[in-house]
Amino acid sequence: MSCELCPRRCGVDRAAGERGVCGAAGEVLVARAALHFWEEPPISGEDGSGTIFFSGCPLRCVYCQNASIALGEHARAISVERLAAIMGELEDAGALNINCVTPTHFAPQIREAVALAREQGMALPVLWNTGGYETVEAVRGNGGFVDAYLTDFKYADAALAARYSHAADYPEVALAALQTMVEVVGAPCYDEFRGQERLVSGVVVRHLMLPGALDNSKAVVRLLHERFGSDVRLSLMNQYTPVIAQAAAAGDRRAAAALAASPELATTVPDSEYEQLLDFADALGVEDYFWQEGGAAEESFIPAFDFTGV
Protein backbone atom coordinates (compact mmCIF):
# COMPACT_ATOMS: atom_id res chain seq x y z
CA MET A 1 0.00 0.00 0.00
CA SER A 2 3.08 2.24 0.25
CA CYS A 3 5.60 0.56 -2.00
CA GLU A 4 9.26 0.55 -1.00
CA LEU A 5 10.32 -2.64 -2.77
CA CYS A 6 13.09 -0.91 -4.73
CA PRO A 7 15.51 1.91 -3.89
CA ARG A 8 13.19 4.47 -5.54
CA ARG A 9 10.87 4.01 -2.53
CA CYS A 10 8.18 5.98 -4.35
CA GLY A 11 5.52 5.00 -1.82
CA VAL A 12 2.59 4.56 -4.23
CA ASP A 13 -0.44 2.46 -3.30
CA ARG A 14 -0.02 -0.30 -5.85
CA ALA A 15 -2.76 -2.35 -4.22
CA ALA A 16 -5.19 0.43 -5.19
CA GLY A 17 -3.94 0.50 -8.77
CA GLU A 18 -1.37 3.31 -8.49
CA ARG A 19 1.81 2.85 -10.53
CA GLY A 20 5.25 3.86 -9.44
CA VAL A 21 8.50 4.31 -11.35
CA CYS A 22 8.51 0.62 -12.26
CA GLY A 23 5.15 0.94 -14.03
CA ALA A 24 3.51 -1.87 -12.04
CA ALA A 25 0.40 -1.82 -9.91
CA GLY A 26 -0.82 -4.80 -7.89
CA GLU A 27 -0.86 -7.55 -10.50
CA VAL A 28 2.10 -9.67 -11.59
CA LEU A 29 2.96 -8.83 -15.20
CA VAL A 30 4.81 -11.32 -17.41
CA ALA A 31 5.89 -11.13 -21.07
CA ARG A 32 7.45 -14.55 -21.67
CA ALA A 33 8.24 -17.83 -19.90
CA ALA A 34 10.41 -20.28 -21.83
CA LEU A 35 13.75 -22.03 -22.07
CA HIS A 36 16.50 -19.47 -22.70
CA PHE A 37 19.89 -20.43 -24.12
CA TRP A 38 21.92 -17.21 -23.98
CA GLU A 39 22.89 -16.91 -20.34
CA GLU A 40 26.31 -17.84 -18.96
CA PRO A 41 27.19 -21.55 -19.51
CA PRO A 42 26.43 -22.87 -15.99
CA ILE A 43 23.06 -21.10 -16.11
CA SER A 44 21.79 -22.05 -19.56
CA GLY A 45 23.85 -25.19 -20.07
CA GLU A 46 22.73 -27.16 -23.10
CA ASP A 47 19.12 -27.63 -21.97
CA GLY A 48 18.28 -23.99 -21.28
CA SER A 49 17.37 -21.80 -18.34
CA GLY A 50 13.71 -21.65 -17.29
CA THR A 51 13.40 -17.94 -17.81
CA ILE A 52 10.42 -15.81 -16.76
CA PHE A 53 10.54 -12.25 -18.11
CA PHE A 54 8.60 -9.86 -15.88
CA SER A 55 7.30 -6.56 -17.26
CA GLY A 56 8.14 -3.15 -15.87
CA CYS A 57 11.40 -2.07 -14.25
CA PRO A 58 12.39 0.29 -11.44
CA LEU A 59 15.63 1.34 -13.17
CA ARG A 60 14.50 2.40 -16.68
CA CYS A 61 17.91 2.74 -18.37
CA VAL A 62 17.63 4.88 -21.50
CA TYR A 63 19.53 2.29 -23.58
CA CYS A 64 17.58 -0.73 -22.26
CA GLN A 65 17.94 -3.78 -24.48
CA ASN A 66 14.51 -5.05 -23.36
CA ALA A 67 12.77 -1.67 -23.49
CA SER A 68 9.47 -3.08 -24.75
CA ILE A 69 8.92 -5.00 -21.52
CA ALA A 70 10.73 -2.58 -19.21
CA LEU A 71 8.20 0.05 -20.29
CA GLY A 72 5.32 -2.39 -19.92
CA GLU A 73 4.43 -2.46 -23.60
CA HIS A 74 4.26 -6.25 -23.51
CA ALA A 75 2.61 -7.41 -20.30
CA ARG A 76 0.03 -9.98 -19.29
CA ALA A 77 -1.36 -10.11 -15.76
CA ILE A 78 -1.25 -13.51 -14.05
CA SER A 79 -2.02 -14.86 -10.60
CA VAL A 80 0.49 -16.18 -8.08
CA GLU A 81 -0.98 -19.65 -8.66
CA ARG A 82 -0.35 -19.37 -12.39
CA LEU A 83 3.21 -18.17 -11.75
CA ALA A 84 3.85 -21.22 -9.56
CA ALA A 85 2.41 -23.46 -12.28
CA ILE A 86 4.71 -21.86 -14.88
CA MET A 87 7.71 -22.74 -12.72
CA GLY A 88 6.59 -26.37 -12.68
CA GLU A 89 6.02 -26.33 -16.44
CA LEU A 90 9.51 -25.01 -17.06
CA GLU A 91 10.94 -27.80 -14.90
CA ASP A 92 8.93 -30.33 -16.92
CA ALA A 93 10.33 -28.79 -20.13
CA GLY A 94 13.87 -29.61 -18.96
CA ALA A 95 15.04 -26.28 -17.51
CA LEU A 96 18.19 -26.23 -15.40
CA ASN A 97 16.77 -23.56 -13.08
CA ILE A 98 14.03 -20.99 -12.64
CA ASN A 99 15.39 -17.65 -13.82
CA CYS A 100 13.36 -14.61 -12.75
CA VAL A 101 14.28 -11.64 -14.98
CA THR A 102 13.68 -8.10 -13.64
CA PRO A 103 11.76 -9.43 -10.64
CA THR A 104 12.37 -6.72 -8.02
CA HIS A 105 8.99 -4.99 -8.13
CA PHE A 106 7.13 -8.31 -7.81
CA ALA A 107 9.27 -9.77 -5.03
CA PRO A 108 6.46 -10.66 -2.57
CA GLN A 109 4.40 -12.46 -5.22
CA ILE A 110 7.42 -14.29 -6.61
CA ARG A 111 8.43 -15.53 -3.16
CA GLU A 112 4.88 -16.77 -2.64
CA ALA A 113 4.92 -18.51 -6.03
CA VAL A 114 8.29 -20.17 -5.30
CA ALA A 115 6.97 -21.51 -2.00
CA LEU A 116 3.86 -22.84 -3.72
CA ALA A 117 5.81 -24.38 -6.59
CA ARG A 118 8.11 -26.14 -4.14
CA GLU A 119 5.09 -27.48 -2.25
CA GLN A 120 3.93 -28.89 -5.59
CA GLY A 121 7.27 -30.61 -6.17
CA MET A 122 9.39 -28.10 -8.10
CA ALA A 123 13.01 -28.75 -7.14
CA LEU A 124 15.09 -26.43 -9.34
CA PRO A 125 17.36 -23.68 -8.02
CA VAL A 126 15.85 -20.20 -8.29
CA LEU A 127 17.89 -17.35 -9.80
CA TRP A 128 17.20 -13.64 -9.26
CA ASN A 129 18.21 -11.91 -12.50
CA THR A 130 18.38 -8.23 -11.59
CA GLY A 131 19.77 -4.89 -12.68
CA GLY A 132 21.49 -4.69 -9.32
CA TYR A 133 19.37 -1.79 -8.06
CA GLU A 134 18.03 -3.55 -4.98
CA THR A 135 17.55 -2.63 -1.35
CA VAL A 136 19.37 -4.53 1.36
CA GLU A 137 16.00 -5.34 2.93
CA ALA A 138 14.70 -6.86 -0.31
CA VAL A 139 17.77 -9.07 -0.71
CA ARG A 140 17.48 -10.29 2.86
CA GLY A 141 13.78 -10.92 2.27
CA ASN A 142 14.68 -13.27 -0.57
CA GLY A 143 16.52 -15.56 1.84
CA GLY A 144 15.15 -19.08 1.65
CA PHE A 145 13.44 -18.39 -1.69
CA VAL A 146 16.35 -17.40 -3.96
CA ASP A 147 19.36 -19.68 -4.39
CA ALA A 148 21.57 -17.60 -6.67
CA TYR A 149 21.85 -14.12 -8.12
CA LEU A 150 22.61 -13.07 -11.68
CA THR A 151 23.03 -9.38 -11.03
CA ASP A 152 24.28 -6.41 -13.00
CA PHE A 153 26.79 -3.91 -11.75
CA LYS A 154 26.36 -1.18 -14.32
CA TYR A 155 28.17 1.84 -12.95
CA ALA A 156 30.98 2.85 -10.64
CA ASP A 157 30.48 6.40 -11.98
CA ALA A 158 27.56 8.18 -10.29
CA ALA A 159 27.34 10.81 -13.04
CA LEU A 160 26.97 8.10 -15.68
CA ALA A 161 24.33 6.37 -13.54
CA ALA A 162 22.40 9.63 -13.31
CA ARG A 163 22.69 10.28 -17.03
CA TYR A 164 21.65 6.87 -18.27
CA SER A 165 19.47 5.47 -15.48
CA HIS A 166 18.32 8.53 -13.49
CA ALA A 167 19.91 6.91 -10.44
CA ALA A 168 22.93 8.80 -9.17
CA ASP A 169 22.90 6.58 -6.09
CA TYR A 170 23.34 3.40 -8.16
CA PRO A 171 27.02 2.71 -7.28
CA GLU A 172 26.50 2.83 -3.52
CA VAL A 173 23.08 1.13 -3.60
CA ALA A 174 24.23 -1.69 -5.88
CA LEU A 175 27.38 -2.24 -3.81
CA ALA A 176 25.40 -2.59 -0.59
CA ALA A 177 22.94 -4.95 -2.29
CA LEU A 178 25.76 -7.05 -3.73
CA GLN A 179 27.45 -7.33 -0.35
CA THR A 180 24.17 -8.60 1.07
CA MET A 181 23.70 -11.09 -1.78
CA VAL A 182 27.11 -12.59 -1.02
CA GLU A 183 26.28 -12.75 2.69
CA VAL A 184 22.95 -14.49 2.04
CA VAL A 185 23.82 -17.02 -0.70
CA GLY A 186 27.60 -17.35 -0.37
CA ALA A 187 30.27 -17.89 -3.01
CA PRO A 188 29.40 -19.54 -6.35
CA CYS A 189 28.72 -23.27 -6.04
CA TYR A 190 28.01 -25.74 -8.82
CA ASP A 191 26.69 -29.25 -9.26
CA GLU A 192 26.50 -31.66 -12.20
CA PHE A 193 22.96 -31.92 -13.51
CA ARG A 194 22.19 -34.24 -16.41
CA GLY A 195 25.86 -34.09 -17.36
CA GLN A 196 26.02 -30.28 -17.26
CA GLU A 197 27.75 -27.95 -14.83
CA ARG A 198 25.00 -25.93 -13.13
CA LEU A 199 25.14 -22.93 -10.82
CA VAL A 200 23.14 -23.80 -7.70
CA SER A 201 24.09 -20.95 -5.37
CA GLY A 202 26.21 -17.81 -5.22
CA VAL A 203 26.47 -14.66 -7.27
CA VAL A 204 27.40 -13.98 -10.89
CA VAL A 205 27.93 -10.27 -11.55
CA ARG A 206 27.42 -8.99 -15.07
CA HIS A 207 28.91 -5.81 -16.43
CA LEU A 208 27.81 -4.61 -19.85
CA MET A 209 30.33 -2.29 -21.46
CA LEU A 210 28.78 0.91 -22.80
CA PRO A 211 30.07 3.00 -25.72
CA GLY A 212 32.70 5.50 -24.64
CA ALA A 213 32.67 4.29 -21.03
CA LEU A 214 35.85 2.21 -20.78
CA ASP A 215 36.97 4.08 -17.65
CA ASN A 216 33.69 3.24 -15.93
CA SER A 217 34.09 -0.43 -16.86
CA LYS A 218 37.64 -0.54 -15.51
CA ALA A 219 36.48 1.10 -12.28
CA VAL A 220 33.70 -1.50 -11.93
CA VAL A 221 36.12 -4.41 -12.43
CA ARG A 222 38.63 -2.97 -9.97
CA LEU A 223 35.97 -2.28 -7.36
CA LEU A 224 34.40 -5.73 -7.57
CA HIS A 225 37.70 -7.60 -7.64
CA GLU A 226 39.17 -5.71 -4.71
CA ARG A 227 35.97 -5.92 -2.66
CA PHE A 228 34.83 -9.49 -3.39
CA GLY A 229 37.61 -11.46 -5.11
CA SER A 230 36.44 -15.01 -5.79
CA ASP A 231 33.28 -14.55 -3.69
CA VAL A 232 31.56 -13.49 -6.91
CA ARG A 233 32.13 -14.54 -10.51
CA LEU A 234 32.36 -11.74 -13.05
CA SER A 235 30.79 -11.75 -16.50
CA LEU A 236 32.21 -9.04 -18.76
CA MET A 237 29.94 -8.40 -21.72
CA ASN A 238 30.38 -6.62 -25.06
CA GLN A 239 26.91 -7.31 -26.45
CA TYR A 240 25.60 -3.75 -26.16
CA THR A 241 23.15 -3.27 -29.01
CA PRO A 242 22.02 0.27 -29.97
CA VAL A 243 18.31 -0.52 -29.89
CA ILE A 244 17.77 3.11 -28.86
CA ALA A 245 18.91 4.21 -32.33
CA GLN A 246 16.56 1.73 -33.98
CA ALA A 247 13.68 2.98 -31.85
CA ALA A 248 14.48 6.62 -32.60
CA ALA A 249 14.62 5.91 -36.32
CA ALA A 250 11.19 4.29 -36.04
CA GLY A 251 9.71 7.46 -34.55
CA ASP A 252 9.96 6.78 -30.81
CA ARG A 253 10.12 10.26 -29.25
CA ARG A 254 11.45 9.00 -25.91
CA ALA A 255 14.33 7.24 -27.66
CA ALA A 256 15.02 10.22 -29.92
CA ALA A 257 15.27 12.57 -26.94
CA ALA A 258 17.59 10.21 -25.08
CA LEU A 259 19.75 9.77 -28.16
CA ALA A 260 19.98 13.52 -28.68
CA ALA A 261 21.27 13.85 -25.12
CA SER A 262 23.66 10.88 -25.43
CA PRO A 263 24.57 10.35 -29.11
CA GLU A 264 27.31 7.88 -28.17
CA LEU A 265 24.59 5.33 -27.45
CA ALA A 266 23.98 4.96 -31.18
CA THR A 267 27.18 2.91 -31.56
CA THR A 268 28.42 -0.47 -30.43
CA VAL A 269 31.50 -0.97 -28.25
CA PRO A 270 34.69 -1.31 -30.31
CA ASP A 271 36.37 -4.70 -30.02
CA SER A 272 39.62 -2.89 -29.16
CA GLU A 273 38.05 -1.34 -26.04
CA TYR A 274 36.62 -4.66 -24.96
CA GLU A 275 40.07 -6.25 -25.34
CA GLN A 276 41.49 -3.46 -23.18
CA LEU A 277 38.97 -4.29 -20.48
CA LEU A 278 39.80 -8.00 -20.59
CA ASP A 279 43.53 -7.20 -20.43
CA PHE A 280 42.85 -4.92 -17.47
CA ALA A 281 40.98 -7.70 -15.65
CA ASP A 282 43.82 -10.13 -16.34
CA ALA A 283 46.41 -7.64 -15.07
CA LEU A 284 44.44 -7.18 -11.84
CA GLY A 285 44.53 -10.92 -11.28
CA VAL A 286 40.84 -11.60 -11.93
CA GLU A 287 40.51 -15.32 -12.59
CA ASP A 288 37.77 -17.51 -14.01
CA TYR A 289 35.47 -14.82 -15.36
CA PHE A 290 33.05 -15.07 -18.26
CA TRP A 291 33.75 -13.15 -21.46
CA GLN A 292 32.22 -13.00 -24.92
CA GLU A 293 33.61 -13.63 -28.37
CA GLY A 294 34.03 -10.62 -30.66
CA GLY A 295 30.90 -9.64 -32.55
CA ALA A 296 28.51 -10.57 -29.74
CA ALA A 297 26.53 -7.38 -30.37
CA GLU A 298 25.67 -8.69 -33.84
CA GLU A 299 23.87 -11.68 -32.32
CA SER A 300 20.30 -11.57 -31.09
CA PHE A 301 20.04 -12.15 -27.34
CA ILE A 302 16.61 -10.51 -27.22
CA PRO A 303 13.75 -13.04 -27.44
CA ALA A 304 10.26 -12.41 -28.73
CA PHE A 305 8.08 -11.06 -25.95
CA ASP A 306 4.98 -12.72 -27.32
CA PHE A 307 3.58 -14.28 -24.11
CA THR A 308 5.04 -17.69 -24.89
CA GLY A 309 4.48 -19.93 -21.87
CA VAL A 310 2.39 -17.35 -20.00
Side-chain angles (χ1 to χ4, degrees), residues 25 67 104-105:
T104 306
H105 46 301

Side-chain angles (χ1 to χ4, degrees), residues 49-62:
S49 177
T51 306
I52 305 171
F53 289 90
F54 294 90
S55 297
C57 180
L59 206 47
R60 300 296 185 96
C61 306
V62 298

